[in-house]
Each structure stands twice: as C-alpha cells, then as structure tokens.
Coordinates of all heavy atoms in Angstrom, one line a residue:
M227 N 0.9 -1.2 0.0 CA 0.0 0.0 0.1 C 0.9 1.2 0.0 O 1.8 1.3 0.9 CB -0.9 0.0 1.3 CG -2.0 0.9 1.4 SD -3.5 0.9 0.5 CE -3.9 -0.7 0.3
D228 N 0.7 2.1 -0.9 CA 1.5 3.3 -1.0 C 1.0 4.4 -0.1 O -0.2 4.6 0.1 CB 1.5 3.9 -2.4 CG 2.1 3.0 -3.5 OD1 3.0 2.2 -3.1 OD2 1.7 2.9 -4.7
L229 N 2.0 5.2 0.5 CA 1.7 6.3 1.4 C 1.2 7.5 0.4 O 1.7 7.6 -0.7 CB 2.9 6.7 2.2 CG 3.4 5.8 3.2 CD1 4.7 6.4 3.8 CD2 2.3 5.8 4.4
L230 N 0.3 8.1 0.9 CA -0.3 9.4 0.3 C 0.6 10.5 0.7 O 1.0 10.7 1.9 CB -1.8 9.6 0.7 CG -2.8 8.6 0.3 CD1 -4.0 9.0 0.9 CD2 -2.8 8.4 -1.1
D231 N 0.8 11.5 -0.4 CA 1.6 12.6 0.0 C 0.6 13.7 0.6 O -0.6 13.5 0.7 CB 2.4 13.2 -1.3 CG 1.4 13.6 -2.3 OD1 0.1 14.1 -2.0 OD2 1.8 13.7 -3.5
D232 N 1.2 14.8 1.2 CA 0.4 15.9 1.8 C -0.9 16.4 1.0 O -1.9 16.5 1.5 CB 1.3 16.9 2.3 CG 2.1 16.5 3.4 OD1 1.9 15.5 4.2 OD2 3.1 17.2 3.7
S233 N -0.6 16.7 -0.2 CA -1.5 17.2 -1.0 C -2.8 16.2 -1.3 O -3.9 16.5 -1.3 CB -1.1 17.7 -2.4 OG -0.5 16.7 -3.2
A234 N -2.4 15.0 -1.5 CA -3.4 13.9 -1.6 C -4.2 13.7 -0.3 O -5.5 13.5 -0.4 CB -2.8 12.5 -2.0
I235 N -3.6 13.8 0.8 CA -4.3 13.7 2.1 C -5.2 14.8 2.3 O -6.5 14.6 2.5 CB -3.2 13.6 3.3 CG1 -2.5 12.4 3.2 CG2 -3.9 13.8 4.6 CD1 -1.2 12.2 4.1
E236 N -4.8 16.1 1.9 CA -5.7 17.2 1.9 C -7.0 17.0 1.0 O -8.0 17.4 1.4 CB -4.9 18.5 1.9 CG -3.9 18.8 2.8 CD -4.6 18.8 4.3 OE1 -5.6 19.3 4.4 OE2 -3.9 18.2 5.1
R237 N -6.8 16.6 -0.1 CA -7.8 16.4 -1.0 C -8.8 15.4 -0.4 O -10.1 15.6 -0.7 CB -7.3 15.9 -2.4 CG -6.8 17.1 -3.3 CD -6.5 16.6 -4.7 NE -5.7 15.4 -4.9 CZ -4.5 15.3 -4.8 NH1 -3.8 16.4 -4.8 NH2 -3.8 14.2 -5.1
R238 N -8.2 14.2 0.0 CA -9.2 13.2 0.5 C -9.9 13.7 1.7 O -11.0 13.3 1.9 CB -8.3 12.0 0.9 CG -7.7 11.3 -0.3 CD -8.6 10.7 -1.2 NE -9.5 9.7 -0.9 CZ -9.2 8.4 -1.0 NH1 -8.2 7.9 -1.5 NH2 -10.1 7.5 -0.4
L239 N -9.3 14.5 2.6 CA -9.9 14.9 3.8 C -11.0 16.0 3.5 O -12.0 15.9 4.2 CB -8.9 15.7 4.8 CG -8.1 14.9 5.7 CD1 -7.1 15.7 6.4 CD2 -8.9 14.1 6.7
A240 N -10.9 16.7 2.4 CA -12.0 17.5 1.9 C -13.3 16.8 1.6 O -14.4 17.4 1.9 CB -11.6 18.4 0.6
D241 N -13.2 15.5 1.3 CA -14.4 14.8 1.2 C -15.0 14.1 2.3 O -15.9 13.4 2.3 CB -14.1 13.7 0.1 CG -13.8 14.2 -1.3 OD1 -14.3 15.3 -1.6 OD2 -13.0 13.6 -2.0
L242 N -14.3 14.3 3.6 CA -14.7 13.7 4.8 C -14.9 14.7 5.9 O -13.9 14.8 6.8 CB -13.6 12.6 5.2 CG -13.4 11.4 4.3 CD1 -12.2 10.7 4.6 CD2 -14.7 10.6 4.3
P243 N -15.9 15.4 5.9 CA -16.1 16.5 6.9 C -16.2 15.8 8.3 O -16.6 14.7 8.5 CB -17.4 17.0 6.6 CG -17.9 16.5 5.3 CD -17.0 15.3 4.9
G244 N -15.5 16.6 9.1 CA -15.5 15.8 10.6 C -14.1 15.2 10.8 O -13.8 14.9 11.9
W245 N -13.4 14.7 9.8 CA -12.2 14.0 10.1 C -11.1 15.0 9.9 O -11.2 16.0 9.1 CB -11.9 13.0 8.9 CG -12.7 11.8 9.1 CD1 -14.0 11.5 8.6 CD2 -12.6 10.6 9.8 NE1 -14.6 10.3 8.9 CE2 -13.6 9.6 9.7 CE3 -11.3 10.1 10.5 CZ2 -13.6 8.4 10.3 CZ3 -11.4 9.0 11.2 CH2 -12.5 8.1 11.0
R246 N -10.0 14.9 10.7 CA -9.0 15.7 10.7 C -7.6 14.9 10.8 O -7.7 13.8 11.3 CB -8.9 16.8 11.9 CG -8.8 16.1 13.2 CD -9.1 16.9 14.4 NE -9.0 16.2 15.7 CZ -9.7 15.3 16.2 NH1 -10.8 14.7 15.4 NH2 -9.4 14.7 17.3
R247 N -6.7 15.6 10.3 CA -5.3 15.0 10.2 C -4.6 15.3 11.6 O -4.5 16.5 12.0 CB -4.5 15.4 9.1 CG -3.0 14.7 8.9 CD -2.3 15.1 8.0 NE -1.1 14.4 7.8 CZ -0.3 14.6 6.8 NH1 -0.3 15.5 5.9 NH2 0.9 13.9 6.7
E248 N -3.9 14.4 12.2 CA -3.0 14.5 13.4 C -1.8 13.7 13.1 O -1.9 12.4 13.3 CB -3.8 14.1 14.6 CG -4.7 15.2 15.1 CD -5.2 14.9 16.5 OE1 -4.6 14.4 17.2 OE2 -6.4 15.4 16.8
G249 N -0.7 14.2 12.4 CA 0.5 13.5 12.2 C 0.3 12.4 11.1 O -0.3 12.8 10.1
D250 N 0.4 11.2 11.5 CA 0.3 10.1 10.4 C -1.0 9.4 10.8 O -1.2 8.2 10.3 CB 1.4 9.1 10.7 CG 2.7 9.6 10.1 OD1 2.7 10.5 9.3 OD2 3.7 9.2 10.6
E251 N -2.1 10.1 11.2 CA -3.5 9.6 11.4 C -4.4 10.5 11.0 O -4.1 11.7 10.9 CB -3.6 9.4 13.0 CG -2.8 8.4 13.6 CD -3.0 8.1 15.2 OE1 -3.6 9.1 15.8 OE2 -2.8 7.0 15.7
I252 N -5.6 10.0 10.7 CA -6.8 10.8 10.7 C -7.7 10.5 11.8 O -7.8 9.3 12.2 CB -7.5 10.6 9.2 CG1 -7.9 9.2 8.9 CG2 -6.6 11.4 8.1 CD1 -8.8 9.1 7.6
R253 N -8.4 11.4 12.4 CA -9.2 11.2 13.5 C -10.6 11.8 13.3 O -10.8 12.8 12.7 CB -8.5 11.9 14.7 CG -7.2 11.2 15.2 CD -6.6 12.0 16.4 NE -5.5 11.2 16.8 CZ -5.7 10.2 17.8 NH1 -6.8 10.1 18.4 NH2 -4.5 9.6 18.2
R254 N -11.5 11.3 14.1 CA -12.9 11.8 14.0 C -13.6 11.4 15.4 O -13.2 10.4 16.0 CB -13.6 11.0 12.9 CG -15.2 11.2 13.1 CD -15.6 11.9 11.8 NE -17.0 11.9 11.6 CZ -17.8 13.0 11.8 NH1 -17.2 14.2 12.0 NH2 -19.1 13.0 11.7
T255 N -14.4 12.3 15.8 CA -15.2 12.0 17.0 C -16.7 12.0 16.6 O -17.2 12.9 15.9 CB -15.1 13.2 18.1 OG1 -13.7 13.2 18.5 CG2 -15.9 13.0 19.3
I256 N -17.5 10.9 17.0 CA -18.8 10.7 16.7 C -19.5 10.6 18.0 O -19.2 9.9 18.9 CB -18.9 9.4 15.9 CG1 -18.2 9.5 14.5 CG2 -20.5 9.1 15.6 CD1 -18.1 8.1 13.8
T257 N -20.7 11.3 18.0 CA -21.5 11.3 19.1 C -22.8 10.7 18.7 O -23.6 11.1 17.9 CB -21.9 12.7 19.8 OG1 -20.6 13.3 20.1 CG2 -22.7 12.5 21.0
A258 N -23.2 9.4 19.2 CA -24.4 8.7 19.0 C -25.5 9.3 19.9 O -25.3 10.0 20.8 CB -24.2 7.3 19.3
R259 N -26.7 8.8 19.6 CA -27.9 9.1 20.3 C -27.7 8.8 21.9 O -28.2 9.5 22.7 CB -29.2 8.6 19.8 CG -29.7 9.3 18.5 CD -31.1 8.8 18.1 NE -31.0 7.3 18.0 CZ -30.8 6.7 16.8 NH1 -30.5 7.4 15.6 NH2 -30.8 5.3 16.6
D260 N -27.2 7.6 22.0 CA -27.3 7.0 23.3 C -26.2 5.9 23.4 O -25.6 5.6 22.3 CB -28.7 6.4 23.8 CG -29.2 5.5 22.6 OD1 -28.5 4.8 22.0 OD2 -30.4 5.4 22.6
F261 N -26.0 5.3 24.6 CA -24.9 4.3 24.7 C -25.2 3.1 23.7 O -24.2 2.7 23.1 CB -24.7 3.9 26.1 CG -23.6 3.0 26.4 CD1 -22.3 3.4 26.3 CD2 -23.8 1.6 26.8 CE1 -21.2 2.5 26.5 CE2 -22.8 0.8 26.9 CZ -21.5 1.2 26.7
P262 N -26.4 2.5 23.8 CA -26.6 1.3 22.9 C -26.3 1.6 21.5 O -25.7 0.8 20.7 CB -28.1 1.0 23.0 CG -28.4 1.5 24.6 CD -27.6 2.7 24.6
S263 N -26.7 2.9 21.0 CA -26.3 3.3 19.6 C -24.9 3.3 19.4 O -24.4 2.8 18.3 CB -27.0 4.6 19.3 OG -28.3 4.6 19.4
A264 N -24.1 3.8 20.3 CA -22.7 3.8 20.2 C -22.0 2.5 20.0 O -21.2 2.2 19.3 CB -22.0 4.7 21.4
I265 N -22.6 1.5 20.9 CA -22.1 0.2 20.8 C -22.4 -0.5 19.4 O -21.6 -1.2 18.9 CB -22.7 -0.6 22.0 CG1 -22.1 -0.2 23.4 CG2 -22.3 -2.1 21.8 CD1 -20.6 -0.1 23.4
R266 N -23.6 -0.2 18.9 CA -23.9 -0.6 17.6 C -23.0 -0.1 16.5 O -22.6 -0.9 15.6 CB -25.4 -0.3 17.2 CG -26.3 -1.1 17.9 CD -27.8 -0.9 17.4 NE -28.8 -1.1 18.5 CZ -29.3 -0.3 19.3 NH1 -29.0 1.0 19.2 NH2 -30.2 -0.5 20.2
V267 N -22.6 1.2 16.6 CA -21.7 1.7 15.7 C -20.3 0.9 15.8 O -19.8 0.4 14.7 CB -21.4 3.2 16.0 CG1 -20.2 3.7 15.0 CG2 -22.7 4.0 15.7
V268 N -19.8 0.8 17.0 CA -18.6 0.0 17.2 C -18.7 -1.5 16.5 O -17.7 -1.9 15.9 CB -18.2 -0.1 18.7 CG1 -17.0 -1.0 19.0 CG2 -17.9 1.3 19.2
D269 N -19.8 -2.1 16.9 CA -20.1 -3.4 16.3 C -20.0 -3.4 14.7 O -19.2 -4.4 14.2 CB -21.4 -4.0 16.7 CG -21.4 -4.5 18.2 OD1 -20.2 -4.8 18.8 OD2 -22.5 -4.7 18.7
E270 N -20.6 -2.5 14.1 CA -20.7 -2.5 12.7 C -19.3 -2.0 12.1 O -18.8 -2.6 11.1 CB -21.8 -1.6 12.2 CG -23.2 -2.1 12.5 CD -24.3 -1.3 11.9 OE1 -24.1 -0.7 10.9 OE2 -25.3 -1.3 12.5
V271 N -18.6 -1.2 12.7 CA -17.3 -0.7 12.3 C -16.4 -1.9 12.5 O -15.5 -2.1 11.6 CB -16.8 0.6 13.1 CG1 -15.3 0.8 12.8 CG2 -17.6 1.7 12.7
A272 N -16.5 -2.7 13.6 CA -15.6 -3.8 13.7 C -15.8 -4.8 12.7 O -14.9 -5.5 12.2 CB -15.9 -4.4 15.1
A273 N -17.1 -5.1 12.4 CA -17.4 -6.0 11.2 C -16.7 -5.6 9.9 O -16.2 -6.4 9.1 CB -18.8 -6.3 11.0
E274 N -16.9 -4.3 9.6 CA -16.3 -3.7 8.4 C -14.7 -3.8 8.4 O -14.1 -4.1 7.3 CB -16.9 -2.3 8.1 CG -16.4 -1.6 6.8 CD -16.9 -2.3 5.6 OE1 -17.9 -3.1 5.7 OE2 -16.4 -2.1 4.5
A275 N -14.2 -3.4 9.6 CA -12.7 -3.4 9.6 C -12.3 -4.8 9.4 O -11.2 -4.9 8.8 CB -12.4 -2.9 11.1
E276 N -12.9 -5.7 9.9 CA -12.4 -7.3 9.9 C -12.4 -7.5 8.3 O -11.6 -8.2 7.8 CB -13.4 -8.1 10.7 CG -12.8 -9.2 11.5 CD -11.5 -9.3 11.8 OE1 -10.8 -8.4 12.5 OE2 -11.0 -10.5 11.7
R277 N -13.6 -7.1 7.7 CA -13.7 -7.5 6.3 C -12.6 -6.8 5.5 O -12.0 -7.5 4.6 CB -15.1 -6.9 5.7 CG -15.3 -7.3 4.3 CD -16.6 -6.6 3.8 NE -16.5 -5.2 3.5 CZ -15.8 -4.7 2.6 NH1 -15.2 -5.5 1.8 NH2 -15.7 -3.4 2.5
M278 N -12.2 -5.6 5.9 CA -11.2 -4.9 5.1 C -9.7 -5.2 5.6 O -8.7 -4.8 5.0 CB -11.3 -3.4 5.3 CG -12.5 -2.8 4.6 SD -12.9 -1.1 4.9 CE -11.4 -0.5 4.0
N279 N -9.7 -5.9 6.7 CA -8.4 -6.3 7.4 C -7.6 -5.0 7.7 O -6.5 -4.8 7.4 CB -7.4 -7.2 6.6 CG -6.4 -7.7 7.4 OD1 -6.4 -7.8 8.6 ND2 -5.3 -8.0 6.7
H280 N -8.4 -4.0 8.2 CA -7.9 -2.6 8.5 C -8.6 -2.3 9.8 O -9.7 -2.0 9.8 CB -8.0 -1.8 7.3 CG -7.2 -0.5 7.6 ND1 -5.9 -0.4 7.9 CD2 -7.7 0.8 7.5 CE1 -5.6 0.8 7.9 NE2 -6.6 1.7 7.8
H281 N -7.9 -2.1 10.8 CA -8.6 -1.8 12.1 C -8.3 -0.6 12.8 O -7.2 -0.3 13.1 CB -8.2 -3.0 13.1 CG -8.4 -4.4 12.5 ND1 -7.5 -5.0 11.8 CD2 -9.6 -5.1 12.5 CE1 -8.1 -6.2 11.3 NE2 -9.3 -6.3 11.8
P282 N -9.3 0.2 13.2 CA -9.2 1.6 13.7 C -8.9 1.6 15.2 O -9.2 0.5 15.8 CB -10.4 2.3 13.4 CG -11.5 1.2 13.5 CD -10.8 -0.1 12.8
D283 N -8.3 2.6 15.7 CA -8.2 2.7 17.1 C -9.6 3.3 17.5 O -10.0 4.3 17.0 CB -7.1 3.5 17.6 CG -5.8 3.0 17.4 OD1 -5.6 1.7 17.3 OD2 -4.8 3.7 17.1
I284 N -10.2 2.8 18.6 CA -11.6 3.2 19.0 C -11.5 3.4 20.5 O -11.2 2.5 21.2 CB -12.8 2.3 18.7 CG1 -12.7 2.1 17.0 CG2 -14.0 2.8 19.1 CD1 -13.8 1.0 16.7
D285 N -11.8 4.6 20.9 CA -12.1 4.9 22.3 C -13.5 5.2 22.6 O -14.0 6.2 21.9 CB -11.2 6.0 22.8 CG -11.3 6.5 24.3 OD1 -11.7 5.6 25.0 OD2 -11.2 7.6 24.5
I286 N -14.2 4.6 23.4 CA -15.7 4.8 23.7 C -15.8 5.5 25.0 O -15.3 4.9 26.1 CB -16.5 3.6 23.5 CG1 -18.0 4.1 23.6 CG2 -16.2 2.5 24.2 CD1 -19.0 3.0 23.1
R287 N -16.5 6.6 25.2 CA -16.8 7.2 26.4 C -18.4 7.5 26.4 O -18.7 8.4 25.7 CB -16.2 8.5 26.6 CG -14.7 8.4 26.3 CD -14.0 7.9 27.5 NE -12.6 7.7 27.4 CZ -11.5 8.1 28.0 NH1 -11.7 8.9 28.9 NH2 -10.3 7.8 27.6
W288 N -19.2 6.6 27.0 CA -20.7 6.8 27.0 C -21.1 6.6 25.6 O -21.0 5.7 24.9 CB -21.2 7.9 27.8 CG -22.6 8.1 27.9 CD1 -23.5 7.1 28.2 CD2 -23.4 9.3 27.8 NE1 -24.8 7.6 28.2 CE2 -24.8 8.9 27.9 CE3 -23.1 10.7 27.7 CZ2 -25.8 9.9 27.9 CZ3 -24.0 11.5 27.7 CH2 -25.4 11.2 27.7
R289 N -21.5 7.9 25.0 CA -22.1 7.8 23.6 C -21.1 8.3 22.6 O -21.5 8.7 21.5 CB -23.5 8.4 23.6 CG -23.5 9.8 23.9 CD -25.0 10.4 24.2 NE -25.0 11.7 24.3 CZ -25.4 12.7 23.4 NH1 -25.9 12.2 22.2 NH2 -25.4 14.0 23.7
T290 N -20.0 8.8 23.1 CA -19.0 9.5 22.3 C -17.8 8.4 21.8 O -17.3 7.9 22.7 CB -18.3 10.7 23.1 OG1 -19.5 11.5 23.4 CG2 -17.3 11.4 22.0
L291 N -17.7 8.4 20.5 CA -16.6 7.5 20.0 C -15.4 8.4 19.4 O -15.7 9.3 18.8 CB -17.1 6.6 18.9 CG -18.5 5.8 19.2 CD1 -18.9 5.3 17.9 CD2 -18.0 4.7 20.1
H292 N -14.2 8.1 19.7 CA -13.1 8.7 19.2 C -12.4 7.7 18.4 O -12.0 6.6 18.9 CB -12.1 9.3 20.3 CG -12.8 10.2 21.2 ND1 -13.0 11.5 20.9 CD2 -13.3 10.0 22.5 CE1 -13.5 12.1 21.9 NE2 -13.8 11.3 22.9
L293 N -12.2 8.0 17.0 CA -11.6 6.9 16.1 C -10.4 7.5 15.5 O -10.4 8.8 15.2 CB -12.7 6.7 15.0 CG -14.0 6.0 15.6 CD1 -15.1 7.0 15.4 CD2 -14.3 4.8 14.8
A294 N -9.5 6.6 15.2 CA -8.2 7.2 14.7 C -7.8 6.0 13.7 O -7.9 4.8 13.8 CB -7.0 7.3 15.8
L295 N -7.3 6.4 12.5 CA -7.0 5.5 11.4 C -5.6 5.8 10.9 O -5.2 7.0 10.7 CB -8.0 5.7 10.2 CG -9.4 5.1 10.4 CD1 -10.1 5.7 9.4 CD2 -9.3 3.6 10.5
S296 N -4.8 4.9 10.6 CA -3.5 5.0 10.1 C -3.1 3.6 9.5 O -3.5 2.5 10.2 CB -2.5 5.4 11.0 OG -1.2 5.6 10.6
T297 N -2.3 3.5 8.5 CA -1.8 2.2 7.9 C -0.5 2.0 8.5 O 0.5 2.4 8.0 CB -1.8 2.2 6.4 OG1 -3.1 2.6 5.9 CG2 -1.5 0.8 6.0
H298 N -0.4 1.3 9.7 CA 0.8 1.2 10.4 C 1.9 0.4 9.6 O 3.1 0.8 9.6 CB 0.5 0.5 11.8 CG -0.5 1.2 12.6 ND1 -0.1 2.4 13.2 CD2 -1.7 0.9 12.9 CE1 -1.1 2.8 13.9 NE2 -2.2 2.0 13.7
D299 N 1.5 -0.6 8.9 CA 2.4 -1.3 8.1 C 3.0 -0.6 7.1 O 4.2 -0.8 6.7 CB 1.6 -2.6 7.4 CG 1.1 -3.6 8.3 OD1 1.5 -3.7 9.5 OD2 0.3 -4.4 7.7
A300 N 2.4 0.5 6.5 CA 3.0 1.3 5.6 C 3.7 2.6 6.3 O 4.3 3.4 5.6 CB 1.8 1.9 4.6
G301 N 3.4 2.8 7.5 CA 4.1 3.9 8.2 C 3.4 5.4 8.0 O 4.0 6.3 8.2
G302 N 2.0 5.3 7.8 CA 1.4 6.5 7.5 C 0.0 6.4 7.0 O -0.7 5.4 7.1
L303 N -0.5 7.3 6.3 CA -1.8 7.3 5.6 C -1.8 6.8 4.2 O -1.0 7.2 3.3 CB -2.4 8.7 5.7 CG -2.7 9.3 7.1 CD1 -2.9 10.7 7.2 CD2 -3.9 8.5 7.6
T304 N -2.7 5.8 3.9 CA -3.0 5.3 2.6 C -4.4 5.5 2.2 O -5.2 5.8 3.1 CB -2.6 3.9 2.5 OG1 -3.5 3.1 3.4 CG2 -1.1 3.6 3.1
D305 N -4.8 5.1 1.0 CA -6.1 5.1 0.5 C -7.0 4.3 1.4 O -8.2 4.6 1.5 CB -6.2 4.5 -0.9 CG -5.8 5.5 -2.1 OD1 -6.0 6.8 -1.7 OD2 -5.3 5.1 -3.0
L306 N -6.5 3.1 2.0 CA -7.3 2.3 2.9 C -7.8 3.1 4.0 O -9.0 2.8 4.5 CB -6.4 1.2 3.3 CG -7.1 -0.2 4.0 CD1 -8.1 -0.6 3.1 CD2 -6.0 -1.1 4.4
D307 N -7.0 4.0 4.6 CA -7.6 4.9 5.8 C -8.8 5.7 5.4 O -9.8 5.7 6.1 CB -6.5 5.7 6.3 CG -5.3 4.8 6.8 OD1 -5.5 4.1 7.6 OD2 -4.2 5.1 6.2
F308 N -8.7 6.2 4.2 CA -9.8 7.1 3.7 C -11.0 6.3 3.3 O -12.2 6.8 3.4 CB -9.3 8.0 2.6 CG -8.3 9.1 3.3 CD1 -7.0 8.8 3.2 CD2 -8.8 10.2 3.7 CE1 -6.1 9.7 3.8 CE2 -8.0 11.1 4.3 CZ -6.5 10.9 4.3
T309 N -10.9 5.1 2.7 CA -11.9 4.3 2.3 C -12.7 3.9 3.7 O -13.8 3.9 3.6 CB -11.4 3.0 1.7 OG1 -10.8 3.5 0.4 CG2 -12.6 2.0 1.3
L310 N -12.0 3.4 4.7 CA -12.6 3.0 5.9 C -13.3 4.2 6.6 O -14.4 4.0 7.1 CB -11.6 2.2 6.8 CG -12.2 1.8 8.1 CD1 -13.4 0.9 7.9 CD2 -11.1 1.1 9.0
A311 N -12.5 5.3 6.6 CA -13.3 6.5 7.2 C -14.6 6.9 6.5 O -15.6 7.1 7.3 CB -12.3 7.7 7.0
A312 N -14.6 6.7 5.2 CA -16.0 7.0 4.6 C -17.0 6.0 4.9 O -18.2 6.3 5.2 CB -15.8 7.0 3.0
R313 N -16.5 4.7 5.1 CA -17.5 3.6 5.6 C -18.0 3.8 7.0 O -19.1 3.7 7.3 CB -16.9 2.3 5.3 CG -16.7 1.7 4.0 CD -18.1 1.3 3.5 NE -18.9 0.3 4.3 CZ -20.1 0.4 4.9 NH1 -20.9 1.4 4.7 NH2 -20.6 -0.6 5.6
I314 N -17.0 4.3 7.8 CA -17.4 4.7 9.3 C -18.5 5.7 9.3 O -19.4 5.6 9.9 CB -16.2 5.0 10.1 CG1 -15.3 3.9 10.3 CG2 -16.6 5.7 11.4 CD1 -13.9 4.1 10.9
D315 N -18.4 6.8 8.4 CA -19.3 7.8 8.4 C -20.7 7.2 7.9 O -21.8 7.6 8.5 CB -18.9 8.9 7.4 CG -17.9 9.8 7.9 OD1 -17.6 9.7 9.1 OD2 -17.3 10.6 7.3
E316 N -20.7 6.3 6.9 CA -22.0 5.8 6.5 C -22.6 4.8 7.5 O -23.8 4.9 7.9 CB -21.8 4.9 5.2 CG -21.4 5.6 4.1 CD -20.8 4.7 2.9 OE1 -20.8 3.4 3.1 OE2 -20.6 5.2 1.9
I317 N -21.8 4.1 8.3 CA -22.2 3.3 9.4 C -22.8 4.1 10.5 O -23.9 3.8 11.1 CB -21.2 2.4 9.9 CG1 -20.7 1.4 8.8 CG2 -21.5 1.8 11.3 CD1 -19.5 0.7 9.1
A318 N -22.2 5.3 10.9 CA -22.6 6.1 12.0 C -23.8 6.9 11.7 O -24.6 7.2 12.7 CB -21.4 7.0 12.5
E319 N -24.0 7.2 10.5 CA -25.2 8.2 10.1 C -26.4 7.8 10.8 O -27.1 8.7 11.5 CB -25.3 8.1 8.6 CG -26.3 9.2 8.1 CD -25.9 10.7 8.3 OE1 -24.6 10.9 8.2 OE2 -26.6 11.5 8.6
P320 N -27.1 6.5 10.7 CA -28.3 6.3 11.3 C -28.4 6.3 12.8 O -29.4 6.3 13.4 CB -28.7 5.0 10.8 CG -27.5 4.4 10.1 CD -26.5 5.4 9.9
Y321 N -27.2 6.4 13.4 CA -27.1 6.3 14.8 C -27.0 7.7 15.5 O -26.6 7.9 16.7 CB -26.1 5.4 15.4 CG -26.4 3.9 14.9 CD1 -25.6 3.4 13.9 CD2 -27.4 3.3 15.5 CE1 -25.8 2.1 13.4 CE2 -27.5 1.9 15.1 CZ -26.8 1.4 14.1 OH -27.1 0.1 13.6
G322 N -27.1 8.8 14.7 CA -27.1 10.1 15.3 C -25.8 10.7 15.2 O -25.4 11.5 16.2
R323 N -25.0 10.4 14.3 CA -23.6 10.9 14.0 C -23.6 12.5 14.1 O -24.5 13.1 13.6 CB -23.0 10.5 12.7 CG -21.8 11.1 12.4 CD -21.3 10.7 11.1 NE -22.0 11.7 10.2 CZ -21.4 12.0 9.0 NH1 -20.2 11.6 8.6 NH2 -22.1 12.9 8.3
T324 N -22.7 13.1 14.9 CA -22.5 14.5 14.9 C -21.0 14.8 14.8 O -20.2 13.9 15.0 CB -23.1 15.1 16.1 OG1 -22.5 14.6 17.2 CG2 -24.5 14.9 16.3

C-alpha cells in the first residue's frame, strides 16, 4: 500500500467532513444518540474493519466515540484509511452521528 503525500491527504480529507489529520493519522469524534447506539456503531465498524483487514483505534466514552486511522504497516496514511473513514461515516449516520 502506497503512502499518500500531503496534497493527496488534504484532497481526501476535503471529502470527509469531521475527519482531521493529526500527524500520521486521521481522527474523528462521533456522538451517538445513546450508549446502545454507540455500541452498535462499534459493532458495525468492527465487522467492516475485519472485512477490510484494517482496524481503527476506537475509544468509547458513554455515547462518544473517538476513532483514529493509520496504515501502520505502511508507516502513515494510505487510500485504505480514507476508504474505511468513509464507511465509518456511512455506518454512524443512522445512529445520530455528529
């Protein structure tokens, strides 16, 4: 998997409102309607991550999820990170994503 350069990262981030770059990661905070909804988001993200063999860091605090993506094997950000980020947004939408 090829690393993306800074301009490619900025272009990809422009298509993902709410995601921000922090070093070699992209991060997003999602607030679900309630705790069970937050857990459903985590469950669905876990299934998608397993399917893609690309696993985000997830920190859950009540109904707030903090997610971080990076392609550790490549040493930074790749297309895979942005593909999973878009899927995470789709997954979270029905659960009250903010």
Side-chain angles (χ1 to χ4, degrees):
M227 186 77 34
D228 293 331
L229 286 176
L230 298 175
D231 63 24
D232 289 339
S233 62
I235 291 168
E236 292 307 314
R237 280 193 308 274
R238 298 293 300 265
L239 278 174
D241 295 331
L242 294 169
W245 289 89
R246 67 192 181 286
R247 182 180 186 181
E248 289 186 19
D250 289 337
E251 297 180 329
I252 54 173
R253 294 179 169 266
R254 169 116 171 113
T255 298
I256 296 168
T257 303
R259 283 187 306 267
D260 51 30
F261 184 71
S263 295
I265 295 302
R266 284 188 209 96
V267 171
V268 170
D269 283 345
E270 291 184 33
V271 168
E274 185 68 14
E276 218 26 48
R277 186 188 69 73
M278 293 176 68
N279 192 31
H280 190 56
H281 305 91
D283 293 334
I284 303 173
D285 176 36
I286 183 168
R287 311 280 172 121
W288 182 38
R289 62 187 188 114
T290 303
L291 305 169
H292 302 280
L293 299 108
L295 292 166
S296 183
T297 305
H298 301 291
D299 293 349
L303 292 165
T304 66
D305 283 327
L306 194 55
D307 299 301
F308 292 91
T309 300
L310 182 54
R313 281 293 297 128
I314 288 169
D315 286 349
E316 291 170 2
I317 289 166
E319 187 69 37
Y321 297 105
R323 178 189 79 148
T324 60

